């Protein structure tokens, strides 16, 4: 059973930046997983916004493209989400995920963008 844990959320002003981190439990299969960042805003369903495949190919939803960057460090079993030019509509709980909708989710970390 893979476990993941997020960190790095907080309160930031519009236009600011945050870097989220995700660490997976000790498991030799980590490098074989596609990894996602999902988010869920109040009243909305949880949906993925950034993906990095096992081969390092990245994909983004239009709402974050050009502002967010996903990366991974397989040796440390970690995934990162660099978030720049943050907007109030980015306010949500952010979740790290291995394997997609039926995969493994962390507990989430709150990101609030507000002046």
């Amino acid at each position: 059973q893979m476990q993941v844990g997020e960190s790095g959320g907080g309160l930031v002003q519009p236009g600011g930046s945050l870097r989220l981190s995700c660490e997976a439990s000790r498991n030799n299969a980590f490098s074989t997983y596609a990894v996602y960042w999902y988010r869920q805003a109040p009243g909305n369903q949880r949906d993925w916004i950034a993906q990095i495949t096992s081969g390092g190919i990245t994909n983004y939803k239009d709402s974050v493209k050009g502002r967010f960057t996903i990366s991974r460090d397989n040796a440390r079993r970690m995934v990162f989400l660099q978030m720049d030019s943050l907007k109030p509509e980015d306010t949500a709980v952010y979740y790290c995920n291995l394997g997609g909708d039926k995969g493994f989710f962390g507990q989430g970390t709150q990101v609030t963008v507000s002046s």
Side-chain angles (χ1 to χ4, degrees):
Q1 180 81 1
M2 184 75 79
Q3 293 182 322
V4 295
E6 306 91 344
S7 62
L11 173 64
V12 63
Q13 292 188 341
S17 297
L18 279 176
R19 188 188 193 216
L20 304 184
S21 299
C22 168
E23 184 171 8
S25 58
R26 188 177 299 277
N27 188 306
N28 292 333
F30 174 80
S31 64
T32 68
Y33 283 92
V35 185
Y36 299 78
W37 283 97
Y38 283 65
R39 70 183 181 187
Q40 185 171 21
N44 291 350
Q45 68 178 29
R46 184 166 61 183
D47 197 11
W48 73 270
I49 54 167
Q51 176 206 39
I52 185 165
T53 68
S54 58
I57 296 172
T58 58
N59 293 289
Y60 301 92
K61 288 294 179 73
D62 286 346
S63 57
V64 304
K65 195 175 295 183
R67 299 187 299 120
F68 290 11
T69 304
I70 187 171
S71 60
R72 65 190 298 165
D73 182 338
N74 288 334
R76 297 165 62 195
R77 301 185 314 281
M78 295 192 72
V79 182
F80 306 98
L81 186 68
Q82 177 66 39
M83 305 186 295
D84 299 317
S85 302
L86 282 161
K87 305 175 182 180
E89 51 264 44
D90 294 317
T91 295
V93 179
Y94 284 71
Y95 299 88
C96 179
N97 166 274
L98 270 63
D101 288 346
K102 298 188 188 306
F104 306 98
F105 284 91
Q107 294 297 310
T109 185
Q110 176 70 45
V111 172
T112 302
V113 185
S114 174
S115 56

